[in-house]
């Protein structure tokens, strides 16, 4: 309150000064006095803005009843507008007075008046204030009628100047001086959310000069990005891509904001995650390989920091599906090679995994699975790419496309012949990529034993839930390798329950026995959600297995 009292007193002091300067603006003494006080007045404007931005509109009008009069006189003083950052603080103060949703005609008129002041400030950016006054008087317009129109025309004029001009068939490009571009971007910082300024914001973002360094102010990029993230501004995708390419902190902030939404939402609500992801525009922007690589790197770090947390893996897979859909629409003629997006993987492997697994008929699924397994195994265990970090790179690629893992488990349960080693290796690698050859070979042996046991149950006496529980318990002894085997076995059993008609009658009982602690329960719920999400994308909701998956999901959620 003490600070407010000081500002109220200073308001009165500066209002008197501004009136005096205005009345005798042509005298040398007045101009010298104005210049002498410029730095002090700028500091006053800064303090005033710091105070106004924390207040409600009605409180501002109550505490500073003369604020409009003061700011209006300031807008007409060319010395103040030309001094250092005074123009910026003046614009910010005016923006604090704008009512986003005016409730009555008085507030609407005030908004109209403030827009007039803003256009007057911008006119001083291009024309002398006296010139503007001369033109308005000559044309017979009052300032209140002229300035809002001037604002719109000035924006269009600046947009035209920023874009290429075509004259007599020749491409003649008119460019602003770099320092003027910098100044204009600074002026626009507090104005980016105003609808009249959207064309200018877009033109600034998409302007391509020949300067070796970025000439737009970082505050401008930050303001535009924040306005976009809060949906206070509407820009085309091309402008957003340019924003994120020219100012990487904005892209990083957009990704972090998305991570916050994904990880704070319901863990297994994949449809909601998909809506968040698509609404962020990041999958669409990621069709640009440079943006995709940065987004993908942030997913990589998130996985490493969380030790492959299931919710992060799920977020990656949903994002990849959204990206693949956007890429399919964008790259009808494949503008960029797939290797551009996944440079660490063999092109042949990238081509295979980018297919939609669920769209492949069951009788044709074995071949691409064996191909993926062979290419991954060569990369992981081969001598050429045998660096220490390479297994993670291969696993990271596979983690984008989790549908292949479910398909591999389903194929193992459907095949009557000896299970292919390629599928056993693929599952063992996915669930424990850090294992060496010997450890993975042991996992494959244990996995084959469980698979043989499950297939034997189908040909023996009527199935019981306890029979399935035997396989689940034997693989959960507590050490790290057994935990990996336990996840693998549960993956097989869940697919077994969904795809074998003989198991449907005992499915609920079997699920209840398996979900003997909260961690495993959440794992099973996540599996069922992901399965349904993949089927729904292909319109498979009516499948008998889909109906059973929903019933099991409801059964488990009722118990949690």
């Amino acid at each position: 309150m003490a600070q407010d009292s000081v500002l109220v007193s200073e308001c009165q002091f500066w209002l008197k000064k501004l009136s005096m300067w205005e009345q005798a603006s042509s005298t040398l003494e007045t101009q010298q006095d104005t210049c002498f006080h410029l730095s002090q007045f700028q500091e006053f404007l800064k303090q005033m803005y710091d105070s106004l931005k924390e207040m409600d509109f009605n409180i501002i009008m109550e505490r500073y009843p003369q604020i409009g009069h003061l700011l209006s006189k300031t807008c007409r003083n060319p010395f103040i507008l030309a001094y250092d950052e005074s123009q910026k603080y003046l614009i910010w103060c005016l923006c604090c007075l704008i009512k986003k949703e005016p409730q009555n005609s008085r507030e609407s008129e005030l908004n109209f008046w403030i827009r007039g002041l803003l256009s007057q400030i911008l006119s001083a950016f291009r024309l002398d204030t006296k010139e503007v006054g001369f033109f308005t008087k000559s044309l017979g317009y009052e300032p209140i009628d002229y300035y809002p129109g001037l604002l719109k025309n000035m924006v269009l004029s600046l947009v035209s100047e920023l874009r290429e001009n075509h004259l007599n068939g020749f491409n003649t490009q008119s460019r602003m001086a770099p320092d003027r571009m910098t100044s204009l971007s600074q002026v626009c910082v507090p104005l980016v959310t105003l609808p009249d300024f959207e064309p200018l914001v877009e033109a600034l973002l998409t302007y391509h000069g020949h300067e070796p360094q970025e000439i737009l102010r970082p505050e401008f990029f930050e303001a535009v990005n924040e306005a976009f993230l809060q949906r206070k501004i509407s820009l085309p995708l091309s402008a957003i891509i340019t924003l994120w390419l020219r100012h990487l902190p904005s892209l990083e902030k957009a990704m972090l904001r998305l991570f916050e939404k994904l990880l704070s939402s319901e863990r297994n609500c994949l449809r909601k995650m998909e809506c968040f992801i698509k609404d962020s525009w990041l999958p669409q922007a990621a069709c640009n390989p440079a943006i995709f690589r940065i987004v993908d790197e942030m997913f990589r770090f998130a996985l490493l920091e969380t030790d492959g947390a299931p919710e992060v893996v799920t977020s990656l897979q949903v994002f990849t599906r959204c990206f693949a859909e956007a890429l399919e629409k964008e790259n009808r003629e494949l503008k960029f090679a797939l290797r551009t997006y996944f440079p660490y993987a063999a092109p042949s492997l990238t081509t295979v995994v980018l297919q939609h697994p669920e769209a492949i008929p069951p009788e044709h699924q074995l071949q691409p699975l064996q191909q993926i397994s062979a290419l991954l195994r060569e990369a992981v265990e081969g001598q050429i790419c045998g660096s220490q970090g390479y297994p993670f790179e291969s696993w990271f690629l596979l983690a984008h496309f989790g549908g292949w893992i479910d398909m591999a488990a389903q194929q193992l349960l459907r095949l009557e012949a000896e299970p292919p080693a390629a599928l056993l290796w693929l599952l063992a690698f996915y669930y424990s990529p850090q294992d060496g050859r010997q450890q993975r070979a042991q996992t494959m042996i244990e996995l084959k034993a469980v698979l043989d046991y499950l297939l034997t149950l189908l040909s023996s006496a009527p199935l019981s839930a306890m029979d399935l529980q035997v396989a689940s318990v034997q693989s959960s002894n507590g050490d790290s390798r057994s935990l990996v085997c336990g996840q693998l076995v549960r993956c097989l059993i869940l697919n077994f329950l969904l795809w074998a008609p003989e198991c449907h009658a005992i499915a609920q009982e079997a699920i209840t026995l398996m979900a003997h602690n909260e961690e495993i329960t959440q794992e099973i719920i996540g599996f069922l959600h992901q399965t349904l999400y993949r089927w729904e994308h292909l319109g498979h909701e009516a499948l008998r297995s889909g109906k059973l998956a929903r019933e099991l999901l409801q059964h488990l959620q009722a118990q949690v």
Side-chain angles (χ1 to χ4, degrees), residues 282-303:
L282 283 161
Q284 300 90 318
C287 291
N288 182 294
I291 290 180
F292 178 85
R293 292 304 315 285
I294 294 169
V295 169
D296 212 41
E297 282 297 307
M298 294 187 73
F299 270 115
R300 181 199 307 270
F301 290 136
L303 284 168

Side-chain angles (χ1 to χ4, degrees), residues 112 116 119 143-156:
F112 189 77
S119 64
I144 196 169
D145 299 320
Y146 176 76
Y147 283 126
L150 175 64
L151 178 62
K152 182 177 180 180
N153 291 334
M154 186 164 298
V155 167
L156 293 176

Side-chain angles (χ1 to χ4, degrees), residues 357 360-370 403-420 422-424 426-427 451 455 491-492 495-496 499:
I360 303 174
E363 62 272 18
H364 299 301
Q365 292 175 355
L366 184 58
Q367 183 179 355
L369 283 169
Q370 289 180 317
W404 292 109
I405 301 305
D406 290 338
M407 181 189 289
Q410 293 160 18
Q411 279 291 310
L412 284 172
L413 293 167
R414 287 172 177 162
L415 295 171
E416 297 180 359
E418 184 74 7
L423 301 192
L424 296 173
L426 187 62
L427 286 172
L451 182 63
L455 295 175
C491 172
L492 283 177
N495 278 289
F496 191 59
W499 291 102

Side-chain angles (χ1 to χ4, degrees), residues 295-537:
V295 169
D296 212 41
E297 282 297 307
M298 294 187 73
F299 270 115
R300 181 199 307 270
F301 290 136
L303 284 168
L304 290 170
E305 287 294 320
T306 61
D307 198 22
E311 54 268 33
V312 180
V313 175
T314 301
S315 299
L316 171 65
Q317 292 175 358
V318 177
F319 183 92
T320 304
R321 181 180 288 276
C322 296
F323 162 72
E325 289 178 4
L327 189 64
E328 191 174 342
K329 293 178 183 177
E330 175 74 16
N331 280 4
R332 297 197 180 278
E333 298 181 1
L334 202 62
K335 295 179 184 177
F336 300 102
L338 294 176
R339 184 173 178 80
T340 309
Y341 299 97
F342 300 98
Y344 300 123
S348 53
L349 176 60
T350 306
T351 303
V352 178
V353 297
L354 269 175
Q355 300 178 74
H356 293 298
E358 304 91 338
I360 303 174
E363 62 272 18
H364 299 301
Q365 292 175 355
L366 184 58
Q367 183 179 355
L369 283 169
Q370 289 180 317
Q371 187 178 3
I372 290 171
S373 179
L375 291 169
L376 282 170
R377 191 166 190 172
E378 180 183 358
V380 172
E381 298 180 355
Q383 296 299 317
I384 297 177
C385 299
S387 64
Q388 188 175 359
Y390 207 79
F392 176 81
E393 298 299 338
S394 299
W395 176 86
F396 183 54
L397 174 66
L398 183 61
H400 287 74
F401 310 96
W404 292 109
I405 301 305
D406 290 338
M407 181 189 289
Q410 293 160 18
Q411 279 291 310
L412 284 172
L413 293 167
R414 287 172 177 162
L415 295 171
E416 297 180 359
E418 184 74 7
L423 301 192
L424 296 173
W425 187 94
L426 187 62
L427 286 172
F429 170 69
Y430 179 77
Y431 280 93
S432 190
Q434 72 276 7
D435 284 353
R437 290 189 186 186
Q438 291 184 348
Q439 289 176 308
R440 194 170 293 119
Q442 182 60 34
T443 301
M444 291 168 64
I445 292 172
E446 295 175 16
L447 185 59
K448 183 178 180 303
V450 173
L451 182 63
D452 290 341
Y453 174 74
L454 293 175
L455 295 175
T456 302
L457 291 178
L458 285 178
S459 59
S460 60
L463 281 170
S464 71
M466 192 59 67
D467 291 332
L468 293 178
Q469 176 67 358
V470 171
S472 178
V473 171
Q474 286 178 347
S475 60
S476 303
N477 296 328
D479 60 80
S480 58
R481 289 202 65 254
S482 294
L483 290 174
V484 170
C485 289
Q487 290 177 317
L488 261 170
V489 170
R490 284 190 290 276
C491 172
L492 283 177
I493 293 176
L494 289 168
N495 278 289
F496 191 59
L497 291 172
L498 292 176
W499 291 102
E502 300 89 336
C503 297
H504 288 192
I506 63 166
Q508 282 197 12
E509 184 183 355
I511 285 283
T512 303
L513 291 173
M514 287 174 61
H516 54 79
N517 65 48
E518 184 178 351
E519 186 176 350
I520 293 178
T521 301
Q522 291 300 325
E523 178 191 320
I524 296 172
I525 288 175
F527 174 89
L528 293 172
H529 269 291
Q530 290 193 39
T531 301
L532 286 170
Y533 174 73
R534 293 186 182 110
W535 288 347
E536 286 171 3
H537 267 276

